[in-house]
Amino acid sequence: MELLKIRWLIWLFPIVFFIHDLEEILTVEYFSMVLPFKVTTVEFILAFSILWLIVFIGCMFAATNKDFIGIGPIQYFSILVAGIFLANGIGHILQSIFFQKYVPGVITSIFILVPFCLFSIKKLLLVNLITCKQILIYLALGFILQTPFAMGSIMFAKFIVKIVGNG
């Protein structure tokens, strides 16, 4: 019964993630000039596709009330919205302030990602599926985990592109 109250948010999440990353895909090569490494659009699309597929499969499991990689449906969704993706959206906003210019993902972070995450967190709190303490823990984990997840998927994508390019 608890899941019915948020199932539509779980199904909506992969769409929100896709829209956010579409902005990043369209502008990543421009921004990679200020990064200590180069990321091509193809590499970023592949990296995003890997992460999106994992998120989509996890949301599919969560929406049908099944555990995903040993995590319960409510907890999985809570970690996504209160942790990894809220931290990601905040990170884009802080990067834009730090660099004092546009960074890929900042527009959708401001207008879609962060509002969606905050709305979802509010809904999770209102139906007593998450606590304020859990939100803080997940947000801290999100700030810690988002970089290794992103870098890992980019490194994997670079590896695949190199193999395909040499094959």
Side-chain angles (χ1 to χ4, degrees):
M1 184 59 112
E2 295 172 333
L3 184 65
L4 292 175
K5 297 173 184 175
I6 63 157
R7 181 178 280 148
W8 67 278
L9 289 170
I10 295 170
W11 281 118
L12 188 57
F13 186 81
I15 297 167
V16 169
F17 180 30
F18 180 82
I19 293 168
H20 171 68
D21 268 19
L22 187 59
E23 177 190 0
E24 292 179 318
I25 287 167
L26 295 173
T27 58
V28 71
E29 284 196 52
Y30 155 78
F31 187 70
S32 70
M33 293 182 296
V34 299
L35 296 174
F37 59 91
K38 179 140 177 65
V39 178
T40 67
T41 301
V42 170
E43 292 166 344
F44 192 82
I45 289 170
L46 182 56
F48 156 73
S49 298
I50 293 163
L51 291 176
W52 187 86
L53 188 59
I54 293 167
V55 166
F56 178 76
I57 292 169
C59 286
M60 188 175 63
F61 273 70
T64 56
N65 204 26
K66 295 181 180 121
D67 289 3
F68 179 65
I69 59 172
I71 303 172
I74 302 299
Q75 187 179 22
Y76 175 79
F77 183 67
S78 298
I79 290 169
L80 283 181
V81 298
I84 296 169
F85 287 95
L86 181 57
N88 181 263
I90 292 169
H92 285 295
I93 295 166
L94 293 175
Q95 288 170 3
S96 185
I97 292 167
F98 177 78
F99 289 117
Q100 296 183 354
K101 64 180 180 176
Y102 170 83
V103 296
V106 71
I107 294 170
T108 52
S109 289
I110 292 169
F111 294 107
I112 298 173
L113 187 62
V114 170
F116 177 82
C117 289
L118 293 176
F119 178 83
S120 297
I121 291 166
K122 181 180 177 184
K123 185 73 171 170
L124 289 163
L125 283 168
L126 287 174
V127 294
N128 296 316
L129 296 177
I130 193 172
T131 65
C132 289
K133 181 179 177 182
Q134 287 173 306
I135 293 168
L136 294 174
I137 291 168
Y138 295 154
L139 186 58
L141 281 172
F143 275 111
I144 293 167
L145 294 176
Q146 70 173 319
T147 300
F149 285 163
M151 291 307 299
S153 66
I154 288 171
M155 288 171 34
F156 183 71
K158 284 180 168 293
F159 175 74
I160 296 297
V161 167
K162 185 177 179 179
I163 289 174
V164 171
N166 290 335

